[in-house]
């Protein structure tokens, strides 16, 4: 697995924005690419996408693979579109198109509370800092 920069840890291999995640902000998760086994958020160790992209193919992001998008991603892509209205394939292609740093700036702006300025989770409709309605 490649060593990831701090910025790269804010985006998962599949296109999820980790920067607003409460677990990431609290330090209980270090992002899906972290090898640190002491972190409390452990669901990543069984992620098929992580195993394929980061461990097997030694890539940073799924879009770098010649088979992108592949069948391994299908369930996650569908779930995120239906449950969270987040298109992970679109996110991945946007990272490829504009670069990670610009994409992270866009994500931070997209999930920033207009009331208090805190960056929130992509999964939440309400600011976890001030309870302002986000969407």
């Amino acid at each position: 697995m490649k060593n990831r920069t701090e910025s790269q840890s804010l985006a998962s291999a599949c296109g999820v924005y980790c920067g607003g995640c409460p677990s990431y902000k609290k330090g209980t998760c270090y992002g899906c690419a972290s090898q640190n086994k002491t972190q409390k958020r452990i669901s990543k160790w069984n992620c098929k996408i992580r195993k394929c992209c980061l461990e097997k193919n030694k890539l940073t992001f799924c879009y770098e693979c010649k088979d992108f998008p592949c069948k391994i991603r299908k369930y996650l892509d569908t779930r995120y579109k239906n449950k969270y209205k987040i298109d992970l394939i679109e996110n991945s292609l946007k990272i490829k198109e504009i670069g990670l740093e610009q994409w992270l700036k866009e994500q931070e702006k997209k999930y920033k509370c207009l009331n208090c300025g805190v960056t929130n989770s992509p999964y939440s409709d309400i600011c976890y800092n001030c309870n302002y309605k986000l969407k």
Side-chain angles (χ1 to χ4, degrees):
M1 184 183 307
K2 292 180 181 178
N3 287 332
R4 291 170 67 102
T5 65
E6 186 175 339
S7 292
Q8 288 172 331
S9 72
L10 293 171
S12 70
C14 63
V16 170
Y17 174 60
C18 300
C21 177
S23 295
Y24 189 90
K25 288 181 157 222
K26 285 186 228 171
T28 56
C29 178
Y30 307 139
C32 80
S34 174
Q35 290 293 339
N36 187 329
K37 299 282 185 176
T38 65
Q39 60 190 306
K40 293 180 183 173
R41 181 89 185 213
I42 59 171
S43 59
K44 69 178 78 20
W45 308 126
N46 293 320
C47 176
K48 291 177 184 176
I49 295 170
R50 181 185 193 278
K51 287 179 181 179
C52 178
C53 182
L54 305 177
E55 296 172 16
K56 177 184 168 199
N57 291 310
K58 310 291 187 229
L59 302 172
T60 303
F61 297 103
C62 287
Y63 74 76
E64 298 169 314
C65 182
K66 63 179 176 51
D67 297 325
F68 173 80
C70 68
K71 65 181 181 179
I72 294 173
R73 295 179 53 105
K74 187 175 174 96
Y75 171 76
L76 183 69
D77 289 331
T78 301
R79 184 169 61 100
Y80 265 68
K81 270 187 190 176
N82 293 336
K83 187 172 183 176
Y84 305 117
K85 310 297 183 243
I86 297 172
D87 188 329
L88 296 178
I89 293 174
E90 183 180 291
N91 280 359
S92 295
L93 293 173
K94 193 72 171 178
I95 294 168
K96 181 179 181 180
E97 177 189 338
I98 65 173
L100 179 62
E101 296 301 326
Q102 185 60 39
W103 183 79
L104 289 172
K105 288 177 188 173
E106 289 182 5
Q107 296 302 296
E108 187 172 332
K109 183 178 179 183
K110 182 176 183 177
Y111 297 110
K112 186 169 283 202
C113 176
L114 297 175
N115 188 52
C116 72
V118 167
T119 302
N120 282 271
S121 169
Y123 314 120
S124 181
D125 291 339
I126 297 172
C127 177
Y128 62 84
N129 185 56
C130 72
N131 293 322
Y132 184 79
K133 183 147 177 67
L134 299 171
K135 298 175 185 173

